[in-house]
Amino acid sequence: MEQLEKETDPKILQALLASRNDYTIEDALENEMILNMGPQHPATHGVLRLLLRLDGERIIGCVPELGYLHRGYEKMAENMSYYEFIPHTDRLDYISPMANNVAWVLAVEKLAGIEAPKRAQYIRMMIAELARIASHLVAVGAFAMDVGALTVFLWTLREREKILDIWDILCGARFTNSYTRIGGVANDAQPEALAKAKWFIDQFEPYLAEVEQLLNTNRIFIERVDGVGVISKEDAIDLGFCGPNLRACGVEFDLRRNAPYLCYNEMDFKIPTYTEGDCLARYFLRLDECRESAKIVRQVLEKMPQGPVHADMPKQVLPQKDEVYTKMEELIHDFMIVNFGINPPVGEIYHAIEGSKGELGFYFVSKGEGHPWKCKIRSPSFNNIQSLPKLVIGHLISDVVAIIGSIDPIMGEADK
Amino acid sequence: MDLKTLIPQKLKEKFPAVEFEITDYKDELTFKFDKKFVVEICAFLKSDPELEFKSCTDITAIDWATRKNRFTMVYNIFSMKHNFRLRLKADVDEADCKVDSVSSVWRAANWQERETYDMYGIKFNNHPDLRRMYMPEEFEYYPLRKDFPLMGIPGSLPLPKK
Amino acid sequence: MGLEAYLKDTGFITTQVNAIIAWARKSSVWPMPMGISCCAIEMMAVGDPKYDIARFGSEVMRFTPRQCDLMIVAGTVTYKMAPVVRKIYDQMPDPKWVIAMGACTSTGGMYRSYSVVQGIDQFLPVDIYLAGCPPRPDNLLHALMKIQEKIGKTKASQFHNVPLKEEGVKLPELNVIQKN
């Protein structure tokens, strides 16, 4: 405690001591203590740091401390062109890089008034949904590992590797892809990649059922997460919950349905919701979303139109590499776009997609230059972590691990 | 009635003294007004039964560097009832770098305002816990201001000895 | 099996203590997964059935530094995180090794910005710099093999922070149990 006081900033301690004390037990012992959890802790999913105020083993105060992975993304975005930032979006929510790529290019396209051709939009939908599956698999696996079921983690990671193999064929990188381009995608989807995606979707559901069987019949798992970390619908909206966590509280809100982008309004899918709002509901919801995403991918593969994957706007859309090497016109365009950027008109826009963690939005202010004057990243994890004190107060220390695992924060995007 | 006509009408009825600057760019409605009225207007937009802007998506600021009013506060709010996104803006001058906090209206605003304070140095009156969000507490600068260099100021952040 | 079959008749071999300890040490490197950002996911992938770090005797990832001898710094180290990384390194028992996994850990990589340490060798001794953003799991396995090579060649007197180098340090006498 003394050492903690010496090393922790006085302002953080002050905030902790002043943090809301909702929980009272009648014969409270006078031995409260402060426990430091993180930033290096296996269950904090990265570098989240929590300072917990304990009464016995019960938590009566919690102050999350962020910033251990603050990389200055917004400052960097102001200093580079819209194209240059695409690889950086991979590292925002590094479990589902493809979805972030899609979010960025859609925001830039809205600002610059570009529309990608139909085939590119379908490919983007496919990769966004596969990214969602990959992300939820890691989320469920890591959640189960945190509460003690290691096997699930190995099984879900094995499934995720298959998705990474699809991306390996699609764009040559297995993890940080940078596959989308403004006005399209980097290259047309190969038949092999599409076939592999189809194969993956076909064999995926039995595996998912296996994982489910492993957990749903596991009494230890169910009892550790059932009724833990409950949050009501009103609190969830007010505290800025988003994505799967919000839907587990009974709010049927999904940007794919409420503000359709790409071609989601042509797809037939359900939005799973649960009303309990506890860790178990969040786990069930992720598995259900995996199934719905698989359904979308199947429809995308069936309906995949033929045609170009680049918008025909040479001043804004990067030409293909083989054209750059052989044609003068394309070489000039390539030079201009790479050196001076795409120069979207003066204005400001906000565009958000339903990323795998929730509403991932970008807010741009453009002054008509090649780089954004202001770029704000609205990251879902940041808003999800905010309600952590509300969720953990009154629970035991071991429940903190389950709660963090169930809300699935990714510090890369929370800290930006 | 269309929300794009309903909201301005309601706001003008409720706040006759406030001057609203309304823009509609790429289908996104924006209101700009004086920073004194931020909390009142936000509370009205949230509580009005016909609007119900219950969700505060994002709060940030813009640094214009050379303008008279150097900063602009930006509030992105969302009504789940109508599926409608609205943006509110208020100018803040560098000499009086303070805004009233809206964390009493939306609890989600708490951290978003802390982030804005950390990055731009805009102070929020009546904020329950105004600390830096990302940078260490002893850091003196505000990174997203335009006069702060990208690579930072050498020596401003200590490193452990080798 | 090979060794036992070879020793079937005689039952013992002669070797140097250094050699046998180095052999034992390099075949059971316990990593400390200092997972900070994206590279941590690839580090997790190394543990999964496809890449399987257990083949190299390093599947025992310990989250407490006291039980580890190899720190894998996986991810961007910011100025705020640097004291934590250093502290965890200091808590590891000697001898210890460090892999700087990924471009931003080694050099700052694509993060030319105010909050990122431009290379962790500013405050840590690094043994292996691993390229890639993030490196593929195969690449991390390669780094592990290189570390094993290095451990195999190192003698105890060459470790960091070993009191042997200073003169006048008395080591405790070995208790050798002599039969008969």
Side-chain angles (χ1 to χ4, degrees), chain B residues 65-84:
Chain B
T66 47
R67 254 188 223 180
K68 183 177 158 256
N69 287 319
R70 180 169 172 186
F71 300 107
T72 302
M73 285 298 300
V74 182
Y75 302 82
N76 261 314
I77 57 177
F78 189 76
S79 161
M80 290 195 180
K81 188 179 175 187
H82 298 290
N83 250 333
F84 192 78

Side-chain angles (χ1 to χ4, degrees), chain C residues 122-147:
Chain C
Q122 291 178 29
F123 64 96
L124 271 187
V126 179
D127 294 290
I128 300 263
Y129 297 92
L130 187 49
C133 187
R136 290 178 70 106
D138 342 26
N139 213 347
L140 181 58
L141 290 177
H142 187 209
L144 186 68
M145 285 156 74
K146 285 280 174 202
I147 277 279

Side-chain angles (χ1 to χ4, degrees), chain A residues 78 84 125 152 166 181 192 200 221 223 253 274 277 285-286 306 309 325 346 357 396 406:
Chain A
E78 286 171 13
E84 274 177 300
M125 252 192 313
V152 180
I166 299 172
R181 295 287 182 272
E192 298 86 13
F200 171 76
F221 174 75
E223 290 195 355
F253 178 72
Y274 284 83
L285 189 102
R286 290 216 162 78
Q306 295 301 320
V309 290
Y325 289 139
V346 182
K357 308 286 183 297
L396 304 178
S406 74

Side-chain angles (χ1 to χ4, degrees), chain A residues 187-216:
Chain A
N187 52 275
D188 198 356
Q190 300 85 346
E192 298 86 13
L194 297 179
K196 181 122 191 180
K198 178 140 191 3
W199 168 81
F200 171 76
I201 292 303
D202 286 340
Q203 58 92 56
F204 173 62
E205 280 188 19
Y207 277 118
L208 203 61
E210 240 175 42
V211 168
E212 229 176 1
Q213 214 176 3
L214 208 55
L215 285 176
N216 294 0

Side-chain angles (χ1 to χ4, degrees), chain B:
Chain B
M1 192 192 277
D2 187 19
L3 273 167
K4 280 191 181 169
T5 48
L6 179 72
I7 299 170
Q9 194 189 330
K10 285 203 109 168
L11 280 177
K12 276 175 190 159
E13 263 173 37
K14 179 81 185 172
F15 303 97
V18 187
E19 271 182 44
F20 289 102
E21 195 182 305
I22 305 168
T23 45
D24 183 5
Y25 180 72
K26 301 243 179 190
D27 210 23
E28 289 181 9
L29 197 60
T30 308
F31 286 87
K32 194 169 176 183
F33 47 82
D34 196 283
K35 70 173 183 181
K36 277 185 289 185
F37 305 102
V38 165
V39 178
E40 282 172 58
I41 290 175
C42 288
F44 169 73
L45 287 171
K46 188 193 175 187
S47 58
D48 190 273
E50 277 182 70
L51 304 175
E52 286 192 6
F53 282 92
K54 281 195 177 170
S55 146
C56 176
T57 317
D58 198 10
I59 293 176
T60 185
I62 307 167
D63 181 4
W64 296 108
T66 47
R67 254 188 223 180
K68 183 177 158 256
N69 287 319
R70 180 169 172 186
F71 300 107
T72 302
M73 285 298 300
V74 182
Y75 302 82
N76 261 314
I77 57 177
F78 189 76
S79 161
M80 290 195 180
K81 188 179 175 187
H82 298 290
N83 250 333
F84 192 78
R85 212 180 279 287
L86 185 66
R87 195 179 302 133
L88 309 175
K89 287 165 107 182
D91 276 344
V92 180
D93 193 37
E94 199 183 1
D96 179 29
C97 215
K98 282 175 190 153
V99 197
D100 289 334
S101 163
V102 295
S103 55
S104 57
V105 183
W106 298 287
R107 272 181 283 166
N110 185 334
W111 278 24
Q112 290 161 356
E113 285 182 344
R114 270 178 68 189
E115 190 195 351
T116 312
Y117 163 68
D118 187 4
M119 292 291 133
Y120 289 95
I122 298 172
K123 293 209 168 59
F124 292 90
N125 305 329
N126 308 323
H127 192 280
D129 179 24
L130 194 65
R131 287 182 291 129
R132 279 186 174 269
M133 188 84 237
Y134 297 135
M135 301 309 286
E137 201 66 51
E138 63 269 15
F139 190 61
E140 298 162 14
Y141 308 95
Y142 300 108
L144 275 184
R145 289 191 174 186
K146 289 282 176 188
D147 49 8
F148 185 82
L150 174 64
M151 283 307 290
I153 290 157
S156 60
L157 285 160
L159 265 184
K161 284 199 185 82
K162 190 167 180 177

Side-chain angles (χ1 to χ4, degrees), chain A residues 312 314 319-335:
Chain A
D312 187 19
Q320 288 283 294
K321 211 70 199 168
D322 50 343
E323 286 174 349
V324 176
Y325 289 139
T326 49
K327 292 178 186 161
M328 195 61 211
E329 195 91 335
E330 265 75 18
L331 182 64
I332 293 167
H333 288 313
D334 187 81
F335 179 80

